[in-house]
Amino acid sequence: MPEIRLPDGSTKRFPAPVTAAEIAAALGAGLQRAALAAEIDGRPVDLSHRIEHDAAVRILTRRDPEGLEIIRHSTAHLLAQAVKRLYPAAQVTIGPVIEDGFYYDFHYPPGFNQDDLAALEAEMQRLVKAALPVEREVLGRDDAVRLFRDLGENYKAEIITAIPTGEAISLYRQGEFVDLCRGPHVPDTGRLGAFKLMRVAGAYWRGDSRNEMLQRIYGTAFADKKALTEHLERLAEAEKRDHRRLGRQLDLFHMQEEAPGMVFWHPPGWTLWRLVEQFMRRVYRAGGYQEVRCPQILDVSLWRRSGHWDNYQENMFFTQSENREYAVKPMNCPGHVQIYNHTLRSYRELPLRYGEFGSCHRNEPSGALHGLMRVRAFTQDDGHIFCMPEQIASEVAAFHRQAIAVYAAFGFADVAVKLALRPEKRLGDDAVWDKAEQALREALAGCGVSCEELPGEGAFYGPKIEYHLRDSLGRPWQLGTMQVDFMMPDRLGAAYVAEDNTRPVPVMLHRAIVGSMERFIGILIEHHGGDLPAWLAPCQVRVMNITDSQADYVREVVADLRARGMRAAADLRNEKIGYKIREAALARIPWLLIAGEREKAHGDVAVRRRGGQDLGAMPFAECTALLAAECAAPSFEPDQESHPSLQ
């Protein structure tokens, strides 16, 4: 008589072994209809799973995140069945769940194209209408290999040979189709239907470029049609906001094959880049940082001592000169330690804060490059703090205040804080990592910040606090970091004279708020959809005439605005004013000033705000006051706790 413990704390006894489906039925007809799978003592299982002992049971429906994952995985199988029906020569390989959907890889030398997806979707919908039962079975290793070889599915047979001996080999059947899978799955194909096949791509078998190329079909699936529609609408909006598209439209930057992963900044884009840099430079000063500059290439001996050679060399570029090997720096921290080490330091100097807009290069795989979001050459708002252990908490707190204020200034209000813990490949022993991780936990607790912990995602030299921002489309982006490092200063010989005249090693805190400037600008463009706040717009004001007789007046207005520190430009082309206004709107100019004969005679301008808002004519002096307030960059006050002398 198994006793079943339910999520609400209640229990239910059954007179004999019971399936998860029978438990759902006993709990009500509504749950029976909605049930997709179950969790038994925290382990996901099919509804057909038989329970013979006391257990904690949770019935999973499409409303549960776990239920949605099961829907997506089952839809991947549905796609594979549709492919086998329409293209019998195709071999199936793997089809995992990914964020917002799934993909399935096939060996099919003729290849698929985008036009094939409509027919596949139609076949998938026919399979949904058929409501084919999805049934699990377990086979021995030899029988499973024989089954798939007989079916001509050599990739599945190869996967089975890699499964550890003793592990159950489970298969799922739906109609004529059989697939190797751990499960669980929906009980029948009729539970599916809210899906869309998105695109076709290439992928190497097992991700190895030495293996054969496979055909990958990406899809998305949701709990219901409404959620799917909302997702597709978000994707359409994201495509409109794509920073690569807007970069071309707004003449910000371009990239080309001769410099993969490296950016050619055009004048408007470089203006934007410098505006972000200048703001972050004020942040440096407000936080008590001293700006430094380090060489681009350093002898590999330094990278060996720092630990990068053993843990990061596959991501580095190298060069040689006069029989010496150098590395192009992938990060700035070893150089900052060299500046720290240049003279003997006292505990009275600590904390010592260095900041650098350091240009770095990382040898990212060509297939991973993506506009400004993933590049090989980038600049960081990089900083390093050398401090004593007892100063960690106050430095982390000051950084946290800074980071939140910066994100707010750029228009990001939804910020989550996470703590990335020791990775498998790392420097140092567990005692040092215990100390470093606990230091960050205590520092965050002192800030009143609760955070999610991410096991295995820290840097090789230390754990880190991560700042994850959500943009206007709800997409998460990981930006700022604060990392505590007990190891690199020691490896590179850093020390300070303590009050008792000993020579302890300082703690090194690695910090960045926006991280890669290039990536941050890409995120910023997409977050605002190209309509950058006026203080960040490369051109804040465009002034235009109606006829040639106002040209000199427009030049005077532009000169006055520039003298007041605004980025203004004149449009004196011999074009109709409606055309000029439309072009300025496409260029996302925040403010348009129009001068006709009447405005010229009275010293006025007609004012339009981006988005089509017409403010009418007003005296130019009144207009300048409005523009000055709208176009000014946010102020950033010194952190009083970081500058005791200011208190």
Side-chain angles (χ1 to χ4, degrees), residues 164-182:
T165 302
E167 188 171 322
I169 296 173
S170 57
L171 315 176
Y172 281 82
R173 292 183 181 273
Q174 51 195 57
E176 81 290 351
F177 179 69
V178 60
D179 206 349
L180 174 71
C181 191
R182 267 198 198 94

Side-chain angles (χ1 to χ4, degrees), residues 204-417:
Y204 292 108
W205 170 236
R206 297 193 181 278
D208 190 335
S209 61
R210 294 170 296 184
N211 291 338
E212 56 270 35
M213 176 68 75
L214 304 176
Q215 295 285 299
R216 176 171 294 179
I217 298 177
Y218 285 95
T220 189
F222 282 84
D224 53 50
K225 294 288 179 63
K226 180 175 181 290
L228 174 63
T229 299
E230 290 173 350
H231 174 71
L232 295 176
E233 288 173 350
R234 283 194 301 272
L235 289 181
E237 181 61 28
E239 186 175 353
K240 292 179 190 174
R241 292 168 175 256
D242 189 307
H243 72 282
R244 296 166 297 178
R245 176 179 176 176
L246 289 169
R248 291 190 299 271
Q249 180 183 325
L250 303 179
D251 192 32
L252 300 177
F253 67 90
H254 83 274
M255 305 176 89
Q256 62 189 58
E257 186 56 38
E258 289 82 357
M262 304 177 195
V263 186
F264 291 83
W265 289 103
H266 299 191
W270 189 242
T271 298
L272 172 58
W273 200 99
R274 292 298 300 273
L275 288 166
V276 175
E277 179 194 40
Q278 288 159 12
F279 181 81
M280 295 310 300
R281 184 165 273 120
R282 293 202 300 277
V283 173
Y284 274 163
R285 291 196 296 268
Y289 289 80
Q290 302 175 70
E291 197 169 334
V292 298
R293 187 72 175 174
C294 294
Q296 281 295 108
I297 64 171
L298 294 162
D299 191 287
V300 294
S301 61
L302 179 64
W303 300 105
R304 291 180 190 276
R305 287 189 285 131
S306 71
H308 289 83
W309 181 264
D310 292 330
N311 294 275
Y312 205 76
Q313 64 172 293
E314 66 273 12
N315 299 108
M316 297 168 68
F317 288 102
F318 297 93
T319 187
Q320 291 184 337
S321 176
E322 297 180 340
N323 296 319
R324 290 182 69 177
E325 188 172 13
Y326 298 89
V328 183
K329 68 175 179 179
M331 51 191 71
N332 303 298
C333 32
H336 288 193
V337 179
Q338 306 316 301
I339 296 174
Y340 177 91
N341 285 348
H342 194 64
T343 187
L344 185 62
R345 306 292 179 179
S346 164
Y347 73 95
R348 297 179 188 276
E349 297 177 71
L350 305 183
L352 185 60
R353 307 180 187 100
Y354 292 147
E356 180 180 2
F357 292 96
S359 181
C360 299
H361 290 73
R362 294 181 185 173
N363 192 12
E364 301 282 2
S366 59
L369 300 177
H370 179 73
L372 300 179
M373 303 302 196
R374 191 77 175 265
V375 292
R376 286 176 172 168
F378 59 96
T379 300
Q380 291 179 303
D381 69 315
D382 208 2
H384 295 90
I385 303 167
F386 298 88
C387 65
M388 296 180 283
E390 59 269 26
Q391 295 171 323
I392 293 174
S394 61
E395 289 302 309
V396 171
F399 172 78
H400 177 75
R401 290 191 298 272
Q402 250 188 3
I404 297 299
V406 167
Y407 299 142
F410 285 109
F412 296 96
D414 188 348
V415 183
V417 181

Side-chain angles (χ1 to χ4, degrees), residues 541-545 554 557 561 591-595 605-608 620 623 627:
V541 189
R542 184 175 289 182
V543 189
M544 52 192 72
N545 60 330
V554 166
V557 167
L561 293 173
W591 291 93
L592 307 183
L593 305 185
I594 303 162
V605 285
V607 182
R608 284 176 174 258
F620 180 59
C623 176
L627 294 178

